[in-house]
Amino acid sequence: MQRFLAGRTFGIVVSLAIVAGIAFLYRQVLLVNQTTVALTLLLAILAVSAVWGMAVSVFMSVVAMLVFNYEFLPPVRTFTIADPQNWVALGAFLVTAIMGSQLSARIRRQADEAHSAGAKLSGSTNSARNCLAKATSSN
């Protein structure tokens, strides 16, 4: 099944734009807590995984983790993490994002396989119908 939004390069560009947009929105426009930012990023990663697959979503997960650390975990605007609990939060974020991406990619793959099997079955049904029509017309 061909997808409307195909291409890994395009997926990477879109994923970067999504992460940047979320960071800008929550840093400049809506001042929210870290949990809201993390959950929004996770939802965006799952959506990207459903469209572009595992490779793009893993890339997006790493970028989102770095942006989350740089923009939202104290001390802000550094890649330093002051509170050891934030290491756990950052690790949990990355693991959850990658596992969610893997599950989403698996579901996408299974849906594509089901669609392909359905198309083959439809072709077999048409062939059987044609054979039956020929057999009954020759009698």
Side-chain angles (χ1 to χ4, degrees):
M1 180 169 121
Q2 225 178 33
R3 301 204 178 270
F4 176 69
L5 300 173
R8 240 182 228 166
T9 304
F10 184 65
I12 287 172
V13 170
V14 170
S15 68
L16 289 172
I18 290 171
V19 170
I22 290 170
F24 176 79
L25 177 71
Y26 288 150
R27 194 82 180 127
Q28 304 295 328
V29 180
L30 304 172
L31 302 177
V32 297
N33 63 25
Q34 297 166 351
T35 304
T36 302
V37 176
L39 290 174
T40 304
L41 288 169
L42 285 173
L43 286 173
I45 290 166
L46 290 176
V48 165
S49 177
V51 176
W52 285 287
M54 185 71 176
V56 175
S57 63
V58 168
F59 171 80
M60 184 178 179
S61 298
V62 172
V63 170
M65 179 199 64
L66 292 171
V67 169
F68 184 58
N69 177 11
Y70 188 80
E71 290 290 336
F72 299 99
L73 294 180
V76 177
R77 301 287 165 111
T78 67
F79 287 109
T80 305
I81 297 178
D83 187 359
Q85 288 181 349
N86 286 338
W87 278 108
V88 175
L90 206 56
F93 173 82
L94 185 60
V95 168
T96 303
I98 291 173
M99 287 178 65
S101 296
Q102 184 179 15
L103 291 172
S104 180
R106 182 182 299 163
I107 290 169
R108 174 184 167 203
R109 198 169 38 252
Q110 288 175 344
D112 287 346
E113 289 170 2
H115 184 274
S116 177
K120 287 179 186 176
L121 184 60
S122 177
S124 298
T125 303
N126 289 338
S127 295
R129 193 175 294 140
N130 290 339
C131 287
L132 185 59
K134 286 179 185 177
T136 56
S137 67
S138 60
N139 285 338

